[in-house]
Amino acid sequence: MRISVCVLLVLLLPACANQVSCALVPLSRMPLESAGHLMFVPARINGHRLRLLVDTGSERTTLTEAAAARLGLPYTVQYVTRTIGVAGMSASRDLAVPGIDLGGAHFPVDRVAVGRFALDRFSGPRIDGLLGADILLAFDMDIDLPAHQLTLYRVRGCPDALPPWRQPAMEITGLGRTRDLMVVPVDLDGQRGTAILDTGAQLDVVRASFARRTGLSPHKMHSDPLIRLYGASPGMMRVPLHRFHELRIGSVTIHRPQIEVVPDDALEADALLGEDFLSDRRGWLSLATDHLFVSGPKVANRPRRDR
C-alpha cells in the first residue's frame, strides 16, 4: 500500500518538491451518492463501470470477487492482503489493474485487493468494492454530502491552509494516525478517548471497555435493541445499540447519539466515527497532512437523527 501511495504522491505533487504551495488544485470532481448511511462514488477500471464505497477506515482499495471477475484481469501472485474488520478477518489476493478512473481523471494505481464482503445486504444498485485510504491518502478531500459531491485536490504543503468554502469551518485538532487511518479525539459522556474516522461504517461504534468507563453496565443495555454488524469480512455479529447522552468531537456536539457497543478485540481504537458524522455537514479531510475541518455550528450541532 505504501508503494501505491508514494507513486500517487510523486505524480500529483507540484513539480518543485521544495516549494511550499497553498494553491487549490482540483484533480477530480465526482458525484457523491448517500444511501443507507454510506457514501458511494462512480469509478472505472479497465473500461468497466464500478460503484465504490468511500471508506477512509479501509487501508486498501478492495473489489468484490464478482467485480474482479467482470474486469477479466489477472491476479498477482506475490501479494496477499489480510483485512481486519469489526466482524472478523479476511485474506485475499491482489488484482493487477491498469489504473483507476475517478471523476474523469486517471490515477496510476497498479493493483487493488479483492475480498469477500457482505455487501449484498444493501438494497439498491450493486456495490462493487471499497475506495480505501491507499488512494485517498494521496489527496485533500472536500466531502460535501449535502451537495452530493466529492472533490479531490492536490495535497497542499502549507500547514495553515483552510478549506475552500466560505461558510465557517471548525478544525478538529489533536489528530493522530494508526497505520494509514485517521484517529480523532472524542469525548463520550465525559470520558476521553480516540476514534478512527471511518466513512465506510454506517453507524458510530464504541468498544465495550470504553463504554464501561462512561458508567454503562450490562444491566443498562438490557433493553437496547440488538442489530447486525458487518465489517471487512463475510462474518456478522449482533451487538447492542445504546443511546448515550453526548458525543463531542472537537467543537462538534452530538446529543443523545445511538452507538453500537462491540467487543474490545473488534476495534483498534476506543471507537469508530461513521458516515453519519458527515451526513449533514461539509468536511475537509486530508489524510496526508492530518487536517480535518467540518462546516459551521448551525449545521454541525444539529441533533443526531434517530435511526
Side-chain angles (χ1 to χ4, degrees), residues 8-31:
L8 280 172
L9 287 171
V10 167
L11 292 175
L12 298 173
L13 285 173
C16 179
N18 295 322
Q19 180 180 359
V20 174
S21 173
C22 288
L24 275 170
V25 182
L27 300 171
S28 176
R29 184 172 286 112
M30 66 203 81

Short mmCIF file of all heavy atoms in Angstrom, two decimals, residues 8-31:
data_model
loop_
_atom_site.label_atom_id
_atom_site.label_comp_id
_atom_site.label_asym_id
_atom_site.label_seq_id
_atom_site.Cartn_x
_atom_site.Cartn_y
_atom_site.Cartn_z
N LEU A 8 1.48 7.78 -6.22
CA LEU A 8 0.47 8.81 -6.44
C LEU A 8 0.95 10.17 -5.97
O LEU A 8 0.77 11.18 -6.66
CB LEU A 8 -0.82 8.44 -5.70
CG LEU A 8 -1.73 7.42 -6.37
CD1 LEU A 8 -2.85 7.04 -5.42
CD2 LEU A 8 -2.31 7.96 -7.66
N LEU A 9 1.58 10.23 -4.81
CA LEU A 9 2.05 11.49 -4.29
C LEU A 9 3.11 12.11 -5.18
O LEU A 9 3.11 13.30 -5.44
CB LEU A 9 2.59 11.31 -2.86
CG LEU A 9 1.53 11.09 -1.77
CD1 LEU A 9 2.20 10.71 -0.47
CD2 LEU A 9 0.68 12.33 -1.57
N VAL A 10 4.05 11.30 -5.67
CA VAL A 10 5.10 11.80 -6.55
C VAL A 10 4.51 12.38 -7.82
O VAL A 10 4.91 13.44 -8.31
CB VAL A 10 6.10 10.69 -6.88
CG1 VAL A 10 7.01 11.11 -8.03
CG2 VAL A 10 6.93 10.34 -5.66
N LEU A 11 3.50 11.71 -8.38
CA LEU A 11 2.91 12.16 -9.64
C LEU A 11 2.00 13.36 -9.46
O LEU A 11 1.81 14.15 -10.40
CB LEU A 11 2.12 11.02 -10.27
CG LEU A 11 2.98 9.85 -10.78
CD1 LEU A 11 2.07 8.74 -11.28
CD2 LEU A 11 3.91 10.30 -11.90
N LEU A 12 1.43 13.54 -8.25
CA LEU A 12 0.43 14.57 -8.07
C LEU A 12 0.94 15.81 -7.35
O LEU A 12 0.29 16.84 -7.36
CB LEU A 12 -0.76 14.00 -7.30
CG LEU A 12 -1.49 12.85 -8.01
CD1 LEU A 12 -2.53 12.26 -7.09
CD2 LEU A 12 -2.11 13.30 -9.31
N LEU A 13 2.11 15.74 -6.72
CA LEU A 13 2.65 16.91 -6.04
C LEU A 13 3.18 17.91 -7.05
O LEU A 13 3.46 17.57 -8.20
CB LEU A 13 3.77 16.49 -5.08
CG LEU A 13 3.32 15.81 -3.79
CD1 LEU A 13 4.53 15.32 -3.02
CD2 LEU A 13 2.51 16.77 -2.92
N PRO A 14 3.33 19.20 -6.66
CA PRO A 14 3.87 20.19 -7.58
C PRO A 14 5.24 19.78 -8.07
O PRO A 14 5.96 19.00 -7.45
CB PRO A 14 3.94 21.46 -6.72
CG PRO A 14 2.94 21.25 -5.64
CD PRO A 14 2.94 19.76 -5.37
N ALA A 15 5.63 20.36 -9.20
CA ALA A 15 6.89 19.98 -9.85
C ALA A 15 8.08 20.25 -8.94
O ALA A 15 9.04 19.49 -8.92
CB ALA A 15 7.04 20.76 -11.16
N CYS A 16 8.04 21.34 -8.20
CA CYS A 16 9.14 21.65 -7.30
C CYS A 16 8.79 21.16 -5.91
O CYS A 16 7.97 21.74 -5.20
CB CYS A 16 9.41 23.16 -7.26
SG CYS A 16 10.74 23.63 -6.14
N ALA A 17 9.41 20.06 -5.50
CA ALA A 17 9.05 19.42 -4.23
C ALA A 17 9.40 20.28 -3.04
O ALA A 17 8.81 20.13 -1.97
CB ALA A 17 9.73 18.06 -4.14
N ASN A 18 10.39 21.20 -3.17
CA ASN A 18 10.82 22.00 -2.04
C ASN A 18 10.01 23.28 -1.88
O ASN A 18 10.20 24.03 -0.94
CB ASN A 18 12.31 22.36 -2.20
CG ASN A 18 13.20 21.13 -2.13
OD1 ASN A 18 12.94 20.22 -1.35
ND2 ASN A 18 14.24 21.11 -2.94
N GLN A 19 9.13 23.56 -2.82
CA GLN A 19 8.33 24.77 -2.78
C GLN A 19 7.03 24.52 -2.04
O GLN A 19 6.26 23.65 -2.39
CB GLN A 19 8.04 25.26 -4.20
CG GLN A 19 7.22 26.54 -4.24
CD GLN A 19 6.95 26.98 -5.65
OE1 GLN A 19 7.40 26.34 -6.60
NE2 GLN A 19 6.23 28.08 -5.80
N VAL A 20 6.80 25.31 -0.97
CA VAL A 20 5.56 25.18 -0.22
C VAL A 20 4.44 25.86 -1.02
O VAL A 20 4.56 27.02 -1.41
CB VAL A 20 5.70 25.81 1.18
CG1 VAL A 20 4.35 25.80 1.90
CG2 VAL A 20 6.75 25.07 1.98
N SER A 21 3.37 25.14 -1.27
CA SER A 21 2.29 25.67 -2.08
C SER A 21 0.97 25.56 -1.34
O SER A 21 0.65 24.52 -0.78
CB SER A 21 2.19 24.91 -3.41
OG SER A 21 1.05 25.32 -4.13
N CYS A 22 0.22 26.67 -1.31
CA CYS A 22 -1.12 26.66 -0.74
C CYS A 22 -2.18 26.71 -1.83
O CYS A 22 -3.36 26.89 -1.54
CB CYS A 22 -1.30 27.85 0.20
SG CYS A 22 -0.40 27.67 1.75
N ALA A 23 -1.76 26.57 -3.07
CA ALA A 23 -2.70 26.69 -4.18
C ALA A 23 -3.71 25.55 -4.14
O ALA A 23 -3.37 24.40 -3.87
CB ALA A 23 -1.95 26.68 -5.51
N LEU A 24 -4.97 25.89 -4.41
CA LEU A 24 -6.02 24.88 -4.52
C LEU A 24 -6.02 24.34 -5.94
O LEU A 24 -6.35 25.06 -6.88
CB LEU A 24 -7.38 25.48 -4.20
CG LEU A 24 -7.79 25.55 -2.73
CD1 LEU A 24 -9.04 26.39 -2.57
CD2 LEU A 24 -8.01 24.16 -2.17
N VAL A 25 -5.63 23.09 -6.09
CA VAL A 25 -5.55 22.47 -7.42
C VAL A 25 -6.50 21.28 -7.45
O VAL A 25 -6.17 20.19 -6.96
CB VAL A 25 -4.12 22.02 -7.75
CG1 VAL A 25 -4.06 21.42 -9.15
CG2 VAL A 25 -3.15 23.19 -7.62
N PRO A 26 -7.72 21.45 -7.98
CA PRO A 26 -8.64 20.31 -8.06
C PRO A 26 -8.16 19.31 -9.10
O PRO A 26 -7.73 19.69 -10.19
CB PRO A 26 -9.96 20.97 -8.47
CG PRO A 26 -9.57 22.24 -9.15
CD PRO A 26 -8.30 22.69 -8.50
N LEU A 27 -8.23 18.04 -8.76
CA LEU A 27 -7.79 16.97 -9.65
C LEU A 27 -8.96 16.15 -10.17
O LEU A 27 -8.90 15.63 -11.28
CB LEU A 27 -6.80 16.06 -8.93
CG LEU A 27 -5.52 16.73 -8.43
CD1 LEU A 27 -4.75 15.76 -7.54
CD2 LEU A 27 -4.67 17.19 -9.59
N SER A 28 -9.99 16.03 -9.36
CA SER A 28 -11.13 15.20 -9.76
C SER A 28 -12.36 15.62 -8.98
O SER A 28 -12.29 15.86 -7.78
CB SER A 28 -10.82 13.72 -9.51
OG SER A 28 -11.93 12.91 -9.80
N ARG A 29 -13.48 15.73 -9.68
CA ARG A 29 -14.75 16.04 -9.04
C ARG A 29 -15.78 15.01 -9.49
O ARG A 29 -15.90 14.74 -10.68
CB ARG A 29 -15.20 17.45 -9.40
CG ARG A 29 -16.48 17.90 -8.69
CD ARG A 29 -16.77 19.36 -8.95
NE ARG A 29 -15.86 20.23 -8.19
CZ ARG A 29 -14.93 21.00 -8.74
NH1 ARG A 29 -14.76 21.02 -10.05
NH2 ARG A 29 -14.15 21.75 -7.98
N MET A 30 -16.48 14.42 -8.54
CA MET A 30 -17.38 13.32 -8.90
C MET A 30 -18.65 13.38 -8.07
O MET A 30 -18.66 13.94 -6.95
CB MET A 30 -16.68 11.98 -8.70
CG MET A 30 -16.34 11.64 -7.26
SD MET A 30 -14.99 10.45 -7.11
CE MET A 30 -13.56 11.54 -7.32
N PRO A 31 -19.74 12.84 -8.59
CA PRO A 31 -20.98 12.80 -7.81
C PRO A 31 -20.82 11.88 -6.60
O PRO A 31 -20.18 10.83 -6.68
CB PRO A 31 -22.01 12.25 -8.80
CG PRO A 31 -21.21 11.53 -9.83
CD PRO A 31 -19.91 12.27 -9.94
#
